[in-house]
Amino acid sequence: MRRPVLCNLILASGLLALTQLMTPTDAAAEARLALVIGQSAYRTVPELPNAANDAKGMAELLGNAGFTVTAAPNLAQNEMRQAISDFAGKVSAAGADTVALVFYAGHGLQIDGENYLVPVDLDPKREADIPLQGVRLNDLLNTLGALPTRARIFMLDACRNNPFPALSGAGHGLAIVDTKAGAPGSFISYSTSPGAEAEDGDGTDSPYTTAALTVAKQPNIPIEEVFKRIRIAVAQSTDGRQIPWESSSLTTDFKFFGESSGQPPAPGANSMALASASRSVADWRKDLQGKDAKVAYDLVIADDTVEAYQAYIELYAQDVRTPRLRTVMERRRQMLAWDRAVAINTRASYEAYLANWDNSDLAATARRLLLRVQNRNYALPVAAAAVPVAVAMAPTCPCSAPTPPASTPINPTVAPIIKKRVDDTPPPSKRKVADTPPKRKPPTDEVVERAPPQQGPPPAAIMQGIGIGVGIGMGMGMGGGRGGGEMGHGDYGRSNRY
């Protein structure tokens, strides 16, 4: 009798263990896949030794965080495109509970408002070669954005200096990518502010990756808080020369180490790319009043908005950090204006940008794009949109919007024109008296002439595109789509340029 009892106990124990193995935990249900690209061995320009080190360090960190890592160093153009395609296939096969992360270390370029990752075999003779030889960041963002995933995370240590002599007219750093313009569930981080250049670093890793390797391994910290801490650490290590930036449209919580809750992130945890979602300058002045300058500095760096920087500059005018923050703030305003100009993509938008930033590094690009669109035959007159666009892109906040004239004539391209048909009957004195009452006029006597349909964006669309936060002179993503060269303009949630 003992033998059957013992067998039953063994069988029950085995079934219990098997049941526990088959019950998915939160960690088991969330697949984690990472693609790590390190571009060091460039063939036509000096190598970037730290890019390879950065990629190795991040691959190890992500592996410890539960990611299945695909390392892809020193990729030529076709190899990079194939690596992205293969990674997308793995993400698709893993299912909707997948967290997909891409880390890129290497050179990045901004051409005509479009961001490009730089393969090691890129050898441009002119700016027009970049769309042919580079890899668009939007292609990466769109490829993964089309897949059902829990989250998509992009870390770009790609804002180093432009090493190609033939691209002297290219803008510095990367253009803003606003993740809110694309599929939700994305997070993108730059190693420095939009339009700024990142340092390769004097140590083994870049300042950005050095901070990420230290901060991200801390347990139970939401991803938004992780990158705020990374921003503060990088600003401290570079004496304010480099301030990382991010944009988020995540819909669930994520932690590198520790279980992700799967719940929506805390309100306000995402990047402050949209000025309308941030606190006002007055709110920040109230929050910073009376605080030590160093404490206040860390607070505004963590927030990384124009409003926070403006309040700090006003309250701590004599602080040694203020000149650096003023430079960061003005550059952010410029990049916000540039982002809106490229998004609107009209003659009025580029003229408004040039009116305020004629001497910037992007002025030559603005003039080139202006030439491309100046012959467009929009039904909406340029003059009707020029004033609001110019106000929206001003480098400083206007005190008030321009007051319209007391009597504004009706714009014939917007309002319908109603005309009466001319009555060709003789005047009353010469009319013949009819024996019967006059017949009622047919309805065709009143003709309504309507303006032709607008071929360009209506005024409401223009104001909606430029109204958020652009009055101060951003953003961010995943990738806020912008067209480069002769390519389409709105691949990540915006309409085509042409």
PDB file of all heavy atoms in Angstrom, residues 246-259:
ATOM      1  N   GLU A 246      14.450  63.608 -24.762  1.00  0.00           N
ATOM      2  CA  GLU A 246      13.625  62.472 -25.159  1.00  0.00           C
ATOM      3  C   GLU A 246      12.199  62.901 -25.423  1.00  0.00           C
ATOM      4  O   GLU A 246      11.765  63.980 -25.009  1.00  0.00           O
ATOM      5  CB  GLU A 246      13.650  61.356 -24.111  1.00  0.00           C
ATOM      6  CG  GLU A 246      12.966  61.694 -22.809  1.00  0.00           C
ATOM      7  CD  GLU A 246      13.921  62.274 -21.794  1.00  0.00           C
ATOM      8  OE1 GLU A 246      15.133  62.349 -22.080  1.00  0.00           O
ATOM      9  OE2 GLU A 246      13.448  62.686 -20.714  1.00  0.00           O
ATOM     10  N   SER A 247      11.482  62.037 -26.115  1.00  0.00           N
ATOM     11  CA  SER A 247      10.059  62.216 -26.369  1.00  0.00           C
ATOM     12  C   SER A 247       9.387  60.868 -26.177  1.00  0.00           C
ATOM     13  O   SER A 247       9.950  59.829 -26.534  1.00  0.00           O
ATOM     14  CB  SER A 247       9.830  62.727 -27.796  1.00  0.00           C
ATOM     15  OG  SER A 247       8.454  62.840 -28.074  1.00  0.00           O
ATOM     16  N   SER A 248       8.197  60.881 -25.586  1.00  0.00           N
ATOM     17  CA  SER A 248       7.533  59.628 -25.237  1.00  0.00           C
ATOM     18  C   SER A 248       6.067  59.657 -25.598  1.00  0.00           C
ATOM     19  O   SER A 248       5.374  60.660 -25.401  1.00  0.00           O
ATOM     20  CB  SER A 248       7.678  59.350 -23.729  1.00  0.00           C
ATOM     21  OG  SER A 248       6.931  58.209 -23.368  1.00  0.00           O
ATOM     22  N   SER A 249       5.604  58.541 -26.135  1.00  0.00           N
ATOM     23  CA  SER A 249       4.173  58.292 -26.291  1.00  0.00           C
ATOM     24  C   SER A 249       3.839  56.913 -25.733  1.00  0.00           C
ATOM     25  O   SER A 249       2.920  56.242 -26.214  1.00  0.00           O
ATOM     26  CB  SER A 249       3.761  58.386 -27.767  1.00  0.00           C
ATOM     27  OG  SER A 249       4.379  57.358 -28.527  1.00  0.00           O
ATOM     28  N   LEU A 250       4.596  56.483 -24.728  1.00  0.00           N
ATOM     29  CA  LEU A 250       4.376  55.170 -24.136  1.00  0.00           C
ATOM     30  C   LEU A 250       2.980  55.083 -23.531  1.00  0.00           C
ATOM     31  O   LEU A 250       2.474  56.045 -22.942  1.00  0.00           O
ATOM     32  CB  LEU A 250       5.416  54.890 -23.054  1.00  0.00           C
ATOM     33  CG  LEU A 250       6.849  54.642 -23.524  1.00  0.00           C
ATOM     34  CD1 LEU A 250       7.762  54.390 -22.330  1.00  0.00           C
ATOM     35  CD2 LEU A 250       6.921  53.474 -24.500  1.00  0.00           C
ATOM     36  N   THR A 251       2.380  53.925 -23.676  1.00  0.00           N
ATOM     37  CA  THR A 251       1.054  53.691 -23.119  1.00  0.00           C
ATOM     38  C   THR A 251       1.079  52.715 -21.956  1.00  0.00           C
ATOM     39  O   THR A 251       0.053  52.491 -21.318  1.00  0.00           O
ATOM     40  CB  THR A 251       0.113  53.153 -24.210  1.00  0.00           C
ATOM     41  OG1 THR A 251       0.686  51.968 -24.789  1.00  0.00           O
ATOM     42  CG2 THR A 251      -0.081  54.195 -25.309  1.00  0.00           C
ATOM     43  N   THR A 252       2.241  52.110 -21.673  1.00  0.00           N
ATOM     44  CA  THR A 252       2.389  51.209 -20.540  1.00  0.00           C
ATOM     45  C   THR A 252       3.688  51.524 -19.806  1.00  0.00           C
ATOM     46  O   THR A 252       4.604  52.137 -20.366  1.00  0.00           O
ATOM     47  CB  THR A 252       2.420  49.729 -20.976  1.00  0.00           C
ATOM     48  OG1 THR A 252       3.517  49.535 -21.887  1.00  0.00           O
ATOM     49  CG2 THR A 252       1.121  49.331 -21.655  1.00  0.00           C
ATOM     50  N   ASP A 253       3.756  51.111 -18.572  1.00  0.00           N
ATOM     51  CA  ASP A 253       4.939  51.313 -17.755  1.00  0.00           C
ATOM     52  C   ASP A 253       6.046  50.350 -18.199  1.00  0.00           C
ATOM     53  O   ASP A 253       5.775  49.223 -18.632  1.00  0.00           O
ATOM     54  CB  ASP A 253       4.583  51.084 -16.281  1.00  0.00           C
ATOM     55  CG  ASP A 253       5.804  51.129 -15.384  1.00  0.00           C
ATOM     56  OD1 ASP A 253       6.436  52.197 -15.320  1.00  0.00           O
ATOM     57  OD2 ASP A 253       6.140  50.093 -14.765  1.00  0.00           O
ATOM     58  N   PHE A 254       7.305  50.805 -18.099  1.00  0.00           N
ATOM     59  CA  PHE A 254       8.445  49.937 -18.403  1.00  0.00           C
ATOM     60  C   PHE A 254       9.588  50.254 -17.459  1.00  0.00           C
ATOM     61  O   PHE A 254       9.858  51.422 -17.168  1.00  0.00           O
ATOM     62  CB  PHE A 254       8.922  50.119 -19.845  1.00  0.00           C
ATOM     63  CG  PHE A 254      10.189  49.358 -20.152  1.00  0.00           C
ATOM     64  CD1 PHE A 254      10.139  48.008 -20.439  1.00  0.00           C
ATOM     65  CD2 PHE A 254      11.425  49.985 -20.092  1.00  0.00           C
ATOM     66  CE1 PHE A 254      11.312  47.293 -20.686  1.00  0.00           C
ATOM     67  CE2 PHE A 254      12.590  49.285 -20.343  1.00  0.00           C
ATOM     68  CZ  PHE A 254      12.534  47.934 -20.641  1.00  0.00           C
ATOM     69  N   LYS A 255      10.252  49.178 -16.983  1.00  0.00           N
ATOM     70  CA  LYS A 255      11.439  49.309 -16.147  1.00  0.00           C
ATOM     71  C   LYS A 255      12.513  48.366 -16.689  1.00  0.00           C
ATOM     72  O   LYS A 255      12.226  47.238 -17.057  1.00  0.00           O
ATOM     73  CB  LYS A 255      11.111  48.944 -14.698  1.00  0.00           C
ATOM     74  CG  LYS A 255      10.043  49.829 -14.075  1.00  0.00           C
ATOM     75  CD  LYS A 255       9.605  49.298 -12.710  1.00  0.00           C
ATOM     76  CE  LYS A 255       8.480  50.152 -12.144  1.00  0.00           C
ATOM     77  NZ  LYS A 255       7.932  49.600 -10.874  1.00  0.00           N
ATOM     78  N   PHE A 256      13.740  48.857 -16.743  1.00  0.00           N
ATOM     79  CA  PHE A 256      14.828  48.004 -17.217  1.00  0.00           C
ATOM     80  C   PHE A 256      15.048  46.833 -16.259  1.00  0.00           C
ATOM     81  O   PHE A 256      15.183  45.689 -16.691  1.00  0.00           O
ATOM     82  CB  PHE A 256      16.115  48.818 -17.369  1.00  0.00           C
ATOM     83  CG  PHE A 256      16.142  49.697 -18.582  1.00  0.00           C
ATOM     84  CD1 PHE A 256      15.808  51.038 -18.501  1.00  0.00           C
ATOM     85  CD2 PHE A 256      16.474  49.181 -19.827  1.00  0.00           C
ATOM     86  CE1 PHE A 256      15.821  51.854 -19.621  1.00  0.00           C
ATOM     87  CE2 PHE A 256      16.501  49.973 -20.960  1.00  0.00           C
ATOM     88  CZ  PHE A 256      16.164  51.317 -20.857  1.00  0.00           C
ATOM     89  N   PHE A 257      15.093  47.117 -14.968  1.00  0.00           N
ATOM     90  CA  PHE A 257      15.266  46.079 -13.953  1.00  0.00           C
ATOM     91  C   PHE A 257      14.112  46.175 -12.970  1.00  0.00           C
ATOM     92  O   PHE A 257      13.863  47.239 -12.397  1.00  0.00           O
ATOM     93  CB  PHE A 257      16.606  46.243 -13.230  1.00  0.00           C
ATOM     94  CG  PHE A 257      17.793  45.915 -14.100  1.00  0.00           C
ATOM     95  CD1 PHE A 257      18.387  46.896 -14.871  1.00  0.00           C
ATOM     96  CD2 PHE A 257      18.294  44.629 -14.171  1.00  0.00           C
ATOM     97  CE1 PHE A 257      19.465  46.617 -15.676  1.00  0.00           C
ATOM     98  CE2 PHE A 257      19.371  44.321 -14.980  1.00  0.00           C
ATOM     99  CZ  PHE A 257      19.964  45.317 -15.738  1.00  0.00           C
ATOM    100  N   GLY A 258      13.416  45.071 -12.771  1.00  0.00           N
ATOM    101  CA  GLY A 258      12.199  45.054 -11.986  1.00  0.00           C
ATOM    102  C   GLY A 258      11.022  44.835 -12.914  1.00  0.00           C
ATOM    103  O   GLY A 258      11.078  45.114 -14.114  1.00  0.00           O
ATOM    104  N   GLU A 259       9.929  44.332 -12.361  1.00  0.00           N
ATOM    105  CA  GLU A 259       8.780  43.995 -13.177  1.00  0.00           C
ATOM    106  C   GLU A 259       8.064  45.251 -13.655  1.00  0.00           C
ATOM    107  O   GLU A 259       7.783  46.156 -12.873  1.00  0.00           O
ATOM    108  CB  GLU A 259       7.806  43.113 -12.385  1.00  0.00           C
ATOM    109  CG  GLU A 259       8.355  41.715 -12.096  1.00  0.00           C
ATOM    110  CD  GLU A 259       7.316  40.828 -11.463  1.00  0.00           C
ATOM    111  OE1 GLU A 259       6.173  41.305 -11.275  1.00  0.00           O
ATOM    112  OE2 GLU A 259       7.627  39.671 -11.157  1.00  0.00           O
TER     113      GLU A 259
END
